[in-house]
Amino acid sequence: KTNPSEPFYHFISGGAGVGKSLLINSIKQVLERFWIHQPNNKPDDIHILPIAPTGTKSKATIAYMLTQAQNLQHKKTQNMQYLLKLCTETKYIVSHNIAVPDGISNGSPCILKKVIYGQLCEKGNREQIPIRAYVQFEKETTGEKTRQKLKNIIQADGIADKTWTPIQRICRSFSLNENTHIQVTRNQLPLLPSNAQTIHCSQSCTYKNILVFITKNLSRKLLYTAFSRVESLQGLHISGIYKKPIRATIENDPSLREMIRMRNEAQLQFSLTFPEELKNDKNIIALFHNVRSLHLNFPNVCSDRTLLACDIIMLAETWSQPTDRYEIDNFTIVYRTDCASTKRKAFRTLIYVKSALLPHINILFQNESISGTNHSTVVALTVCSKTVIMVYKSPKCQWLVLQQQLQQAINTSLQNNVHEIAIMGDFNIKYQVSDPNFKNLNDFMIQNDCFMILDPTKVSTDHNSLIDLCFSTNSQTKSFIFESVRSDHKPIWIELNNP
């Protein structure tokens, strides 16, 4: 997201059904969700194109797919069928990106459950045609937001099953041919029949029952791909003559040779360090994240193993209200502020501490300054003879306001004879000379014997800026920038030694 010019290469291996395709699709959906929110983006623009996602693709197939990829933008009908045959209880795939964040994207498999007939809003046209299709996706969570958004339509259509998702007709315009400027608009349901598939297209799918049509000269790789689509041997049915393929060896299988070479000679060192990898009984992990609405992201926070591996979790811009419940198992909320009005605003903070660590926690200082859109919060807590100071400053808040709060927090820590101090949070000050407040911030930290412990060449937001910062009186304190799929800010975290 922040280094689009740097290619990312990674090799994913594993047996059938272990989740390779789930992982790839998850990465694809995260990137689609990111791109769809970029300025001037069109929902049907293609930003991510999976090509030959598993090893069974032949060179000819890859070459064909690359050619198709280059010509995708020139498809005359934009994947809109002239004649679409509809049959309930039959498998289809979605042909366009309808609601990518909701999981309804090009290629999403589903089963057609019901067709609603009506009239198009065209003058003089009273023909009854399919205006809406209800489908059931493989996962109940797919289409959840769409069902909520269209609940009045679902109720009017008399649909009782809460897992059926309405698919509306869409319009797409395209040129009649390359030699004319005449535009044709097609109005159609964005679905394609998918009751039978080629072996290549079946990759990533899992079924209870399948029938495999075997033709002559099917390679071992294609047979493996086809047979591994089924959950059990009892669900596998074969039409044709099956011949046991030759066993793969280093000599006759170039894919096997490449897998061995990559494992032995081309190991990739992952760029992120996970808190759960470093966590032990002799350290304390403190994490700060501008979460961009805990109200929206709380279910994801509760299931995030990286966050839950930390001892102290500090969240900013929670958008929380007093009636919201944000309890997490094995954690205690030690500090929380909420929006005073009934309207949620992009402010407020919350701090979780692992319940087992609670006897060692003491909040030394807390101060919140609010004036319109000017907002700054500083909270200092001690843990095992160390002070961790959380900082949040809104973009329009003056540096002098935050400076006074920080100085009071540092002085309070020193008065309590705690000299090892770590300061982390969203300063909304770019850590570069061009920012007018950079020198003020840097001078202040130097005066208080604090060192910048994050790598200044890194970025902490999806906008290629470093505004989430971390300082410490101990220059040896380890600090890291992680990644987030929920916010345009990246989490930052530190490791403190626990004597």
Side-chain angles (χ1 to χ4, degrees):
K1 293 190 296 183
T2 51
N3 293 296
S5 61
E6 296 183 12
F8 177 75
Y9 301 101
H10 198 70
F11 181 69
I12 301 170
S13 65
V18 299
K20 300 184 298 296
S21 296
L22 176 63
L23 172 61
I24 293 170
N25 289 335
S26 298
I27 296 172
K28 177 175 177 286
Q29 191 176 94
V30 165
L31 292 173
E32 283 178 337
R33 190 174 297 175
F34 169 74
W35 280 108
I36 205 169
H37 289 99
Q38 299 309 297
N40 303 318
N41 176 72
K42 297 178 181 178
D44 284 327
D45 284 354
I46 297 171
H47 297 291
I48 301 98
L49 184 68
I51 295 177
T54 64
T56 61
K57 303 284 190 184
S58 66
K59 290 183 179 179
T61 304
I62 294 175
Y64 169 76
M65 292 183 70
L66 286 171
T67 303
Q68 291 293 97
Q70 293 169 354
N71 295 324
L72 274 175
Q73 59 182 342
H74 302 300
K75 280 190 174 181
K76 290 184 179 180
T77 64
Q78 298 186 28
N79 225 9
M80 297 281 282
Q81 297 287 293
Y82 174 70
L83 179 64
L84 175 62
K85 295 182 178 181
L86 298 176
C87 180
T88 57
E89 301 303 324
T90 301
K91 294 175 182 175
Y92 286 79
I93 59 171
V94 178
S95 62
H96 288 72
N97 290 330
I98 305 300
V100 174
D102 202 18
I104 308 177
S105 58
N106 187 4
S108 298
C110 58
I111 296 176
L112 179 62
K113 306 301 288 188
K114 187 174 182 178
V115 179
I116 303 297
Y117 288 83
Q119 297 176 357
L120 285 180
C121 298
E122 294 181 359
K123 190 175 181 180
N125 187 355
R126 297 185 177 182
E127 182 185 3
Q128 293 286 315
I129 63 171
I131 59 170
R132 194 159 40 254
Y134 281 87
V135 302
Q136 189 174 50
F137 292 101
E138 292 180 347
K139 296 181 180 179
E140 288 188 14
T141 53
T142 301
E144 199 169 32
K145 294 178 181 177
T146 301
R147 294 192 292 270
Q148 178 63 27
K149 181 180 179 181
L150 302 178
K151 60 182 180 181
N152 292 336
I153 292 177
I154 296 173
Q155 185 176 4
D157 288 339
I159 304 300
D161 195 312
K162 296 182 179 180
T163 64
W164 291 9
T165 303
I167 301 296
Q168 310 265 45
R169 295 178 77 103
I170 63 173
C171 290
R172 292 293 183 270
S173 298
F174 44 86
S175 297
L176 188 61
N177 57 56
E178 295 179 359
N179 301 318
T180 181
H181 296 292
I182 298 175
Q183 289 285 308
V184 176
T185 299
R186 180 164 290 174
N187 185 309
Q188 184 59 280
L189 291 169
L191 295 173
L192 293 173
S194 182
N195 210 33
Q197 296 174 302
T198 64
I199 294 176
H200 289 107
C201 288
S202 72
Q203 290 176 109
S204 82
C205 299
T206 304
Y207 303 105
K208 289 184 179 180
N209 295 281
I210 62 170
L211 173 63
V212 180
F213 288 87
I214 295 182
T215 58
K216 62 179 181 179
N217 300 326
L218 275 185
S219 67
R220 177 181 179 276
K221 297 175 184 178
L222 285 174
L223 287 172
Y224 170 79
T225 301
F227 294 166
S228 60
R229 298 308 96 201
V230 71
E231 292 179 354
S232 65
L233 190 60
Q234 287 71 29
L236 174 61
H237 306 274
I238 299 174
S239 175
I241 300 174
Y242 170 72
K243 293 182 180 180
K244 188 175 180 180
I246 301 173
R247 184 178 180 83
T249 64
I250 296 176
E251 290 74 23
N252 67 17
D253 193 326
S255 297
L256 186 59
R257 288 199 299 273
E258 178 64 6
M259 289 171 65
I260 294 173
R261 185 198 69 80
M262 293 181 74
R263 288 186 178 128
N264 294 336
E265 303 175 18
Q267 284 281 353
L268 178 68
Q269 183 65 39
F270 199 58
S271 60
L272 297 177
T273 303
F274 291 75
E276 54 264 43
E277 293 177 347
L278 291 187
K279 179 58 190 165
N280 56 53
D281 296 334
K282 297 181 180 180
N283 63 11
I284 294 170
I285 305 293
L287 178 144
F288 171 87
H289 189 204
N290 183 333
V291 74
R292 293 289 203 185
S293 180
L294 183 61
H295 172 68
L296 281 178
N297 296 312
F298 186 63
N300 293 322
V301 169
C302 288
S303 58
D304 191 325
R305 293 199 307 175
T306 295
L307 276 178
L308 301 183
C310 300
D311 299 293
I312 302 171
I313 304 171
M314 300 171 282
L315 304 177
E317 291 193 19
T318 58
W319 297 54
S320 62
Q321 292 182 332
T323 55
D324 295 338
R325 298 181 63 89
Y326 295 127
E327 289 82 6
I328 299 178
D329 291 344
N330 302 317
F331 281 86
T332 301
I333 298 174
V334 296
Y335 179 83
R336 171 176 171 172
T337 58
D338 299 301
C339 298
S341 65
T342 55
K343 184 179 180 181
R344 297 184 186 274
K345 296 183 179 181
F347 297 140
R348 306 312 178 188
T349 50
L350 185 148
I351 300 178
Y352 291 101
V353 171
K354 273 195 175 169
S355 300
L357 194 63
L358 197 58
H360 306 284
I361 295 290
N362 180 30
I363 295 183
L364 292 178
F365 176 86
Q366 52 184 298
N367 186 272
E368 186 177 44
S369 174
I370 301 177
S371 177
T373 57
N374 299 326
H375 180 205
S376 64
T377 300
V378 173
V379 181
L381 55 85
T382 57
V383 52
C384 302
S385 304
K386 296 172 178 60
T387 295
V388 177
I389 299 177
M390 181 190 75
V391 173
Y392 173 77
K393 182 183 83 67
S394 64
K396 294 184 180 180
C397 183
Q398 296 295 315
W399 157 248
L400 287 176
V401 177
L402 179 61
Q403 180 183 351
Q404 292 173 2
Q405 293 172 304
L406 275 174
Q407 193 62 68
Q408 292 175 25
I410 293 171
N411 291 343
T412 303
S413 178
L414 296 176
Q415 290 166 9
N416 283 269
N417 205 29
V418 182
H419 296 274
E420 185 170 335
I421 302 171
I423 305 171
M424 58 195 304
D426 181 0
F427 287 76
N428 265 302
I429 297 174
K430 293 180 180 178
Y431 201 74
Q432 56 189 43
V433 178
S434 60
D435 191 298
N437 284 316
F438 168 77
K439 186 177 186 305
N440 295 330
L441 173 64
N442 212 36
D443 291 345
F444 173 82
M445 291 301 175
I446 292 173
Q447 291 168 9
N448 286 279
D449 297 322
C450 292
F451 305 89
M452 171 65 165
I453 56 175
L454 282 178
D455 184 348
T457 65
K458 302 293 185 181
V459 296
S460 67
T461 73
D462 290 344
H463 313 291
N464 287 297
S465 61
L466 180 59
I467 58 177
D468 302 273
L469 309 174
C470 193
F471 302 87
S472 177
T473 55
N474 182 358
S475 60
Q476 302 304 310
T477 301
K478 293 181 180 178
S479 63
F480 306 89
I481 298 177
F482 202 65
E483 186 54 72
S484 172
V485 297
R486 298 178 293 272
S487 168
D488 57 351
H489 284 252
K490 303 174 188 291
I492 58 175
W493 61 279
I494 60 174
E495 179 190 20
L496 301 171
N497 292 325
N498 184 12

